[in-house]
Amino acid sequence: MSPTSVRLRRGAMVAVLAGTLCAPLTAGPAPAAVPAASVAVPPGPSLSEPDVRALSPAVTRRLDATVRRVMREANVPGVTVGVWTPGRESYVRSYGVADRATGRRMTPGLYTRIGSETKTFTVTALLQLVDQGKVGLDDTIGTYVDGVPDGDRITLRQLAGMRSGLFNYSEDDDFFKALTSDPRRPFTPRQLLDYAFRHPVLFPPGEKFSYSNTNLILLGLVVEKESGQHLGDYIQRHILGPAGMRHTLFPRGSEFPTPHAQGYTDQTANGKAADAADWNPSWGWAAGAMISTLDDLRVWAPTVATGELPDGRRLISPAIQKQRLTTPATPIPGTGYGLGIFDVHGWIGHNGSLPGYESLTVYLPATRTSLVVLLNTDVNHDDQEPSTLFGRAITEIISPRHVFDLPAAPAAR
């Protein structure tokens, strides 16, 4: 194991689907992969169990105690949790501190970096272009971007579904060294691709699932080329604006609106803890650079899961949304990954992680329940991402038939 094998965690579903930003910085091999298949979700509790429990005072007390317990056990500085179900009481709480140095408290109104949740916005932009007939999901990436290994065989659908076989640039040793030696440096999309393309493809396109940030960098370039707009500008105009998400942005550099929490990480060159609030997220670009708030992510949870805007208009067509939510199985039991989105025991959405921050935004269609978890650390606890620890503990209480259980895969080289 080389010195550069320290993990910056994987994105979208811990290690395999996870989200450190996107499948975070890991200098190891790609996560395990399996052929596409339909998801087989293990049976849950008795059918007499409700899909989602009412947020009664007793349930609220259990949630309070559980969130505090997970914070204590995982040494989490601060966390904000939001649960919303139409016709029932909502649950919004912040615990702990946003800044360890000053003791400033965590509050629900803070901005946060959302890591791999960015993938849901990038893929939504792509799907809008599909609806407009400007691109086709079964077009090959070589049609739009030159120099991609197997570019004449890999489709946009395979890129969005993490089945391209392309090496994940954030697992390249030289990339890891470059980032951790100067975490405030900017990266261009082409520089990120250069790190990926020096490696051979991992398997024939479509054969397996393997989470790779490289896929999203390519899709971001497709959106820019076919829309004629900077990716962030396109997302602002065609997604955030229509959804009324006024506090979500795609930064061009290291800018971070205030107020925000400081972010604590151990993903550094020497493994020592650091505050990553002012690190440049350009290394994640279309895979993980965005910033948002609790209230905006509350809006995004049902919007991305249904394709419908809060005012009833469609963000993408029902036919394309249906394709998006076709979620072939992954190496994680009970979990499927569609087009830039996952399904974990019925919860639809994505998680995110990059140095200093983690997030989880998911939606349970059966009861129209939204769950958002935001925290200011990405430090693992017993090889588990803290966002998953909170997601599991909370859903065990509010939706015992649909537990968000996303076990982390061990780091390997």
Side-chain angles (χ1 to χ4, degrees), residues 198-272:
R198 65 178 62 175
H199 298 270
V201 295
L202 304 177
F203 50 80
E207 182 178 277
K208 301 176 182 179
F209 173 92
S210 182
Y211 194 88
S212 175
N213 296 321
T214 304
N215 297 338
L216 270 292
I217 303 303
L218 289 168
L219 293 182
L221 292 175
V222 172
V223 172
E224 290 197 332
K225 181 175 182 178
E226 297 308 308
S227 70
Q229 300 175 50
H230 180 274
L231 178 60
D233 292 341
Y234 181 93
I235 289 174
Q236 176 61 52
R237 181 177 301 179
H238 297 280
I239 300 174
L240 303 177
M245 298 172 65
R246 299 189 303 274
H247 301 289
T248 302
L249 65 149
F250 195 120
R252 291 178 180 258
S254 57
E255 64 266 27
F256 199 170
T258 56
H260 63 253
Q262 303 307 112
Y264 301 97
T265 185
D266 61 358
Q267 304 303 316
T268 57
N270 58 14
K272 293 183 179 179

Side-chain angles (χ1 to χ4, degrees), residues 12 19-22 112-126 162 211 213 216-217 219-220 231-232 235 239-240 248-251 281 284-292 297 300 304 324 337 339-341 350-354 359 361:
T20 258
L21 180 2
C22 354
T112 190
R113 299 195 186 277
I114 61 172
S116 280
E117 291 198 41
T118 302
K119 292 178 172 68
T120 62
F121 294 92
T122 299
V123 173
T124 296
L126 176 76
M162 299 298 177
Y211 194 88
N213 296 321
L216 270 292
I217 303 303
L219 293 182
L231 178 60
I235 289 174
I239 300 174
L240 303 177
T248 302
L249 65 149
F250 195 120
W285 195 53
M290 288 181 68
I291 294 166
S292 191
L297 293 175
W300 187 237
V304 71
R324 174 176 217 165
Y337 198 87
L339 302 180
I341 202 165
H350 218 287
N351 59 350
S353 174
L354 78 169
S359 61
T361 299

Side-chain angles (χ1 to χ4, degrees), residues 309-367:
L309 291 163
D311 63 6
R313 290 178 297 154
R314 296 295 307 184
L315 189 63
I316 59 177
S317 69
I320 295 300
Q321 182 71 10
K322 182 178 180 180
Q323 292 186 57
R324 174 176 217 165
L325 296 182
T326 300
T327 51
T330 72
I332 301 176
T335 297
Y337 198 87
L339 302 180
I341 202 165
F342 63 77
D343 179 335
V344 180
H345 296 285
W347 287 97
I348 308 295
H350 218 287
N351 59 350
S353 174
L354 78 169
Y357 302 90
E358 288 199 349
S359 61
L360 175 65
T361 299
V362 288
Y363 181 75
L364 188 63
T367 57

Side-chain angles (χ1 to χ4, degrees), residues 103-146:
R104 177 167 56 95
R105 304 299 297 175
M106 197 76 162
T107 59
L110 301 180
Y111 286 91
T112 190
R113 299 195 186 277
I114 61 172
S116 280
E117 291 198 41
T118 302
K119 292 178 172 68
T120 62
F121 294 92
T122 299
V123 173
T124 296
L126 176 76
L127 296 179
Q128 288 184 335
L129 296 179
V130 173
D131 266 333
Q132 296 164 24
K134 294 182 177 180
V135 302
L137 282 172
D138 296 314
D139 293 347
T140 60
I141 186 60
T143 305
Y144 304 96
V145 181
D146 294 332

Side-chain angles (χ1 to χ4, degrees), residues 160-213:
M162 299 298 177
R163 290 169 174 85
S164 71
L166 292 173
F167 186 86
N168 185 357
Y169 68 84
S170 57
E171 296 180 7
D172 177 85
D173 286 356
D174 289 337
F175 168 77
F176 180 90
K177 292 173 184 176
L179 177 63
T180 56
S181 65
D182 182 9
R184 294 171 182 81
R185 65 167 288 180
F187 289 87
T188 67
R190 287 290 180 173
Q191 287 173 329
L192 301 174
L193 293 178
D194 286 344
Y195 287 112
F197 294 169
R198 65 178 62 175
H199 298 270
V201 295
L202 304 177
F203 50 80
E207 182 178 277
K208 301 176 182 179
F209 173 92
S210 182
Y211 194 88
S212 175
N213 296 321

Side-chain angles (χ1 to χ4, degrees), residues 55 80-92 108 112 114 117 121 243-248 292-306 308-310 347-348 359-364 368-374:
L55 295 172
T80 293
V81 175
V83 180
W84 303 269
T85 298
R88 304 189 185 200
E89 295 295 324
S90 62
Y91 176 91
V92 177
T112 190
I114 61 172
E117 291 198 41
F121 294 92
M245 298 172 65
R246 299 189 303 274
H247 301 289
T248 302
S292 191
T293 63
L294 179 76
D295 282 346
D296 272 13
L297 293 175
R298 174 192 178 182
V299 171
W300 187 237
T303 298
V304 71
T306 65
E308 185 174 301
L309 291 163
W347 287 97
I348 308 295
S359 61
L360 175 65
T361 299
V362 288
Y363 181 75
L364 188 63
R368 295 184 294 159
T369 300
S370 298
L371 168 63
V372 177
V373 180
L374 308 173

